[in-house]
Amino acid sequence: MRTPFRSSLGRGVLGVVATGALVFSLAACASTSDSESNNTAPTHPVNQTREPGPGESMLPEASIPDLSNGVDTQVAVDASFVEALTSLGLTPGVVGTATFTDGTFAFPITGGNVDYYGPDSDVRPYVQGEIDHDGSGLSLTSADGTVVELTDFRIDPGESKLYGTVTANGTVAAEDAYLFNLYGGTLKPLEVVDGNAVLEGTTVHVSPAAASLLNETFGTDAVQDEMLVGVAKITAATE
């Protein structure tokens, strides 16, 4: 099921930004580099691979071997992403079990596993595993009726990438395609809230592959590589 929400997205996100209630964590990684000033994902060593040395512990601070109990991955949308979609004449929507409320997407977690070693550990990447979101996603509809759906998201925190299925006008164009980059430099320490593990602060950016695909599909060159989408909050049930 595809539910359009363009008008509510514009009012919800832009209105919240205007009142200052939607605050993002990008300031924590601000610099004078051109890439960061243009809302692109900066390079950061947080997920560079490093194996523990002799005598160093490989035990994670927290481990969830089965994520099938939920809950969800939320993305608080950045106003620049809304403006970019509007300028392209694209109407966004949610697919399946995804929701959009008060400027935030939510995609239910359906499976996977996570090990968390922590930023102060010697293990890199310090968040490892896989987080699955089957049966939900996003849609983008152009003025001429072309519909692209991005669904069944799979987050690989070790690679800092999000993959998914791409469908164009009802036909699957790619499976497990590289869609978004995840920048963990703004990730906050793991919290436990009401029995759920919460990881918040990662910024989400359009991948080079997704930018190329969307530009080709919609006949434009306006979708920027590493365009900022928003800030993610992953909430996972521990039992």
Side-chain angles (χ1 to χ4, degrees):
M1 178 181 68
R2 181 166 48 86
T3 305
F5 56 86
R6 181 177 181 179
S7 60
S8 65
L9 183 66
R11 290 194 303 269
V13 177
L14 296 179
V16 172
V17 170
T19 60
L22 185 59
V23 180
F24 297 102
S25 303
L26 287 177
C29 61
S31 79
T32 57
S33 70
D34 290 339
S35 64
E36 293 179 49
S37 65
N38 289 314
N39 287 332
T40 57
T43 301
H44 196 279
V46 67
N47 273 344
Q48 290 180 353
T49 300
R50 179 191 183 282
E51 295 298 328
E56 294 179 341
S57 174
M58 293 186 64
L59 295 177
E61 290 182 21
S63 181
I64 307 177
D66 184 4
L67 293 174
S68 60
N69 292 327
V71 186
D72 61 22
T73 295
Q74 299 181 12
V75 179
V77 182
D78 189 85
S80 63
F81 183 66
V82 179
E83 292 167 356
L85 294 182
T86 301
S87 69
L88 294 172
L90 298 178
T91 302
V94 291
V95 179
T97 55
T99 61
F100 177 81
T101 306
D102 296 331
T104 298
F105 294 105
F107 309 101
I109 294 173
T110 58
N113 59 87
V114 167
D115 287 330
Y116 176 84
Y117 293 88
D120 295 331
S121 75
D122 292 309
V123 179
R124 292 294 183 271
Y126 67 78
V127 183
Q128 301 180 20
E130 177 177 312
I131 306 172
D132 301 323
H133 308 76
D134 295 337
S136 66
L138 304 173
S139 67
L140 296 171
T141 303
S142 66
D144 66 4
T146 300
V147 180
V148 172
E149 294 183 349
L150 311 176
T151 60
D152 302 329
F153 296 148
R154 177 177 69 85
I155 294 175
D156 186 326
E159 291 186 351
S160 294
K161 294 179 179 179
L162 183 150
Y163 300 84
T165 299
V166 180
T167 302
N169 290 331
T171 300
V172 175
E175 293 183 339
D176 208 36
Y178 166 34
L179 300 178
F180 299 104
N181 283 323
L182 307 174
Y183 169 59
T186 52
L187 183 64
K188 299 176 183 178
L190 178 71
E191 295 183 308
V192 177
V193 180
D194 296 329
N196 297 323
V198 179
L199 283 171
E200 183 175 7
T202 297
T203 56
V204 182
H205 303 257
V206 176
S207 75
S212 177
L213 182 149
L214 292 173
N215 281 331
E216 181 179 353
T217 300
F218 294 115
T220 182
D221 59 2
V223 181
Q224 299 177 8
D225 174 15
E226 302 295 355
M227 178 186 294
L228 175 65
V229 177
V231 177
K233 176 182 179 180
I234 299 173
T235 303
T238 59
E239 296 179 356

